[in-house]
PDB file of all heavy atoms in Angstrom:
ATOM      1  N   PHE A  32      24.481 -98.373  -3.594  1.00 96.00           N
ATOM      2  CA  PHE A  32      24.913 -99.388  -4.551  1.00 96.00           C
ATOM      3  C   PHE A  32      24.560 -98.981  -5.977  1.00 96.00           C
ATOM      4  O   PHE A  32      25.348 -99.159  -6.908  1.00 96.00           O
ATOM      5  CB  PHE A  32      24.285-100.737  -4.220  1.00 96.00           C
ATOM      6  CG  PHE A  32      24.679-101.258  -2.879  1.00 96.00           C
ATOM      7  CD1 PHE A  32      23.829-101.154  -1.787  1.00 96.00           C
ATOM      8  CD2 PHE A  32      25.927-101.843  -2.685  1.00 96.00           C
ATOM      9  CE1 PHE A  32      24.200-101.626  -0.543  1.00 96.00           C
ATOM     10  CE2 PHE A  32      26.309-102.320  -1.438  1.00 96.00           C
ATOM     11  CZ  PHE A  32      25.444-102.208  -0.369  1.00 96.00           C
ATOM     12  N   CYS A  52      35.933-104.117 -18.368  1.00 97.00           N
ATOM     13  CA  CYS A  52      35.558-104.809 -17.144  1.00 97.00           C
ATOM     14  C   CYS A  52      35.552-103.834 -15.965  1.00 97.00           C
ATOM     15  O   CYS A  52      36.202-102.784 -16.008  1.00 97.00           O
ATOM     16  CB  CYS A  52      36.533-105.948 -16.846  1.00 97.00           C
ATOM     17  SG  CYS A  52      36.364-107.382 -17.931  1.00 97.00           S
ATOM     18  N   SER A  62      18.230-107.772   2.725  1.00 94.00           N
ATOM     19  CA  SER A  62      17.419-107.251   3.827  1.00 94.00           C
ATOM     20  C   SER A  62      18.267-106.437   4.800  1.00 94.00           C
ATOM     21  O   SER A  62      17.729-105.745   5.669  1.00 94.00           O
ATOM     22  CB  SER A  62      16.724-108.399   4.573  1.00 94.00           C
ATOM     23  OG  SER A  62      17.672-109.187   5.271  1.00 94.00           O
ATOM     24  N   ASN A  91      23.791-114.533 -20.045  1.00 98.00           N
ATOM     25  CA  ASN A  91      24.123-115.556 -19.057  1.00 98.00           C
ATOM     26  C   ASN A  91      24.247-116.905 -19.752  1.00 98.00           C
ATOM     27  O   ASN A  91      23.378-117.293 -20.534  1.00 98.00           O
ATOM     28  CB  ASN A  91      23.068-115.645 -17.958  1.00 98.00           C
ATOM     29  CG  ASN A  91      23.426-116.681 -16.900  1.00 98.00           C
ATOM     30  OD1 ASN A  91      23.141-117.860 -17.046  1.00 98.00           O
ATOM     31  ND2 ASN A  91      24.081-116.239 -15.827  1.00 98.00           N
ATOM     32  N   VAL A 114      21.670-106.734 -35.282  1.00 96.00           N
ATOM     33  CA  VAL A 114      21.101-106.843 -33.934  1.00 96.00           C
ATOM     34  C   VAL A 114      22.071-106.271 -32.912  1.00 96.00           C
ATOM     35  O   VAL A 114      21.689-105.484 -32.033  1.00 96.00           O
ATOM     36  CB  VAL A 114      20.782-108.311 -33.598  1.00 96.00           C
ATOM     37  CG1 VAL A 114      20.230-108.430 -32.181  1.00 96.00           C
ATOM     38  CG2 VAL A 114      19.804-108.895 -34.614  1.00 96.00           C
ATOM     39  N   SER A 155      25.054-146.359   1.451  1.00 98.00           N
ATOM     40  CA  SER A 155      25.586-145.708   2.654  1.00 98.00           C
ATOM     41  C   SER A 155      26.778-144.825   2.301  1.00 98.00           C
ATOM     42  O   SER A 155      26.968-143.752   2.892  1.00 98.00           O
ATOM     43  CB  SER A 155      25.979-146.750   3.703  1.00 98.00           C
ATOM     44  OG  SER A 155      26.995-147.610   3.208  1.00 98.00           O
ATOM     45  N   ALA A 193      20.818-100.451 -12.640  1.00 97.00           N
ATOM     46  CA  ALA A 193      20.806 -99.083 -12.128  1.00 97.00           C
ATOM     47  C   ALA A 193      22.175 -98.420 -12.277  1.00 97.00           C
ATOM     48  O   ALA A 193      22.269 -97.238 -12.635  1.00 97.00           O
ATOM     49  CB  ALA A 193      20.368 -99.096 -10.661  1.00 97.00           C
ATOM     50  N   VAL A 194      23.234 -99.185 -11.998  1.00 98.00           N
ATOM     51  CA  VAL A 194      24.595 -98.649 -12.133  1.00 98.00           C
ATOM     52  C   VAL A 194      24.856 -98.216 -13.569  1.00 98.00           C
ATOM     53  O   VAL A 194      25.528 -97.198 -13.826  1.00 98.00           O
ATOM     54  CB  VAL A 194      25.632 -99.701 -11.675  1.00 98.00           C
ATOM     55  CG1 VAL A 194      27.037 -99.312 -12.090  1.00 98.00           C
ATOM     56  CG2 VAL A 194      25.554 -99.898 -10.156  1.00 98.00           C
ATOM     57  N   ASP A 233      12.249-125.835 -16.214  1.00 98.00           N
ATOM     58  CA  ASP A 233      10.857-125.773 -15.772  1.00 98.00           C
ATOM     59  C   ASP A 233      10.830-125.203 -14.359  1.00 98.00           C
ATOM     60  O   ASP A 233      11.301-125.843 -13.418  1.00 98.00           O
ATOM     61  CB  ASP A 233      10.243-127.175 -15.789  1.00 98.00           C
ATOM     62  CG  ASP A 233       8.762-127.175 -15.420  1.00 98.00           C
ATOM     63  OD1 ASP A 233       8.256-126.131 -14.946  1.00 98.00           O
ATOM     64  OD2 ASP A 233       8.108-128.224 -15.581  1.00 98.00           O
ATOM     65  N   ILE A 237      11.991-126.917  -9.695  1.00 96.00           N
ATOM     66  CA  ILE A 237      13.213-126.453  -9.045  1.00 96.00           C
ATOM     67  C   ILE A 237      13.365-127.148  -7.704  1.00 96.00           C
ATOM     68  O   ILE A 237      12.495-127.043  -6.859  1.00 96.00           O
ATOM     69  CB  ILE A 237      13.161-124.930  -8.812  1.00 96.00           C
ATOM     70  CG1 ILE A 237      12.915-124.213 -10.142  1.00 96.00           C
ATOM     71  CG2 ILE A 237      14.415-124.410  -8.130  1.00 96.00           C
ATOM     72  CD1 ILE A 237      13.953-124.493 -11.203  1.00 96.00           C
ATOM     73  N   LEU A 339      34.110-141.853 -24.867  1.00 59.00           N
ATOM     74  CA  LEU A 339      33.920-143.075 -24.096  1.00 59.00           C
ATOM     75  C   LEU A 339      34.152-142.880 -22.609  1.00 59.00           C
ATOM     76  O   LEU A 339      33.836-143.763 -21.819  1.00 59.00           O
ATOM     77  CB  LEU A 339      34.872-144.169 -24.592  1.00 59.00           C
ATOM     78  CG  LEU A 339      34.659-144.647 -26.028  1.00 59.00           C
ATOM     79  CD1 LEU A 339      35.522-145.860 -26.296  1.00 59.00           C
ATOM     80  CD2 LEU A 339      33.202-144.976 -26.280  1.00 59.00           C
ATOM     81  N   GLY A 399      17.410-143.289 -14.208  1.00 98.00           N
ATOM     82  CA  GLY A 399      16.471-142.994 -13.126  1.00 98.00           C
ATOM     83  C   GLY A 399      17.084-143.034 -11.742  1.00 98.00           C
ATOM     84  O   GLY A 399      16.779-142.199 -10.883  1.00 98.00           O
ATOM     85  N   ILE A 479      14.371-115.119 -33.520  1.00 98.00           N
ATOM     86  CA  ILE A 479      15.001-114.483 -32.360  1.00 98.00           C
ATOM     87  C   ILE A 479      15.607-113.143 -32.751  1.00 98.00           C
ATOM     88  O   ILE A 479      15.447-112.132 -32.047  1.00 98.00           O
ATOM     89  CB  ILE A 479      16.067-115.414 -31.760  1.00 98.00           C
ATOM     90  CG1 ILE A 479      15.422-116.704 -31.253  1.00 98.00           C
ATOM     91  CG2 ILE A 479      16.807-114.720 -30.609  1.00 98.00           C
ATOM     92  CD1 ILE A 479      16.408-117.820 -30.977  1.00 98.00           C
ATOM     93  N   PRO A 503      24.919-124.426 -35.155  1.00 39.00           N
ATOM     94  CA  PRO A 503      26.070-124.644 -34.279  1.00 39.00           C
ATOM     95  C   PRO A 503      25.946-123.812 -33.027  1.00 39.00           C
ATOM     96  O   PRO A 503      26.491-122.724 -32.916  1.00 39.00           O
ATOM     97  CB  PRO A 503      27.247-124.191 -35.149  1.00 39.00           C
ATOM     98  CG  PRO A 503      26.663-123.196 -36.077  1.00 39.00           C
ATOM     99  CD  PRO A 503      25.258-123.644 -36.344  1.00 39.00           C
TER     100      PRO A 503
END
Side-chain angles (χ1 to χ4, degrees):
F32 298 101
C52 287
S62 68
N91 182 275
V114 178
S155 61
V194 167
D233 184 349
I237 304 302
L339 296 189
I479 297 165

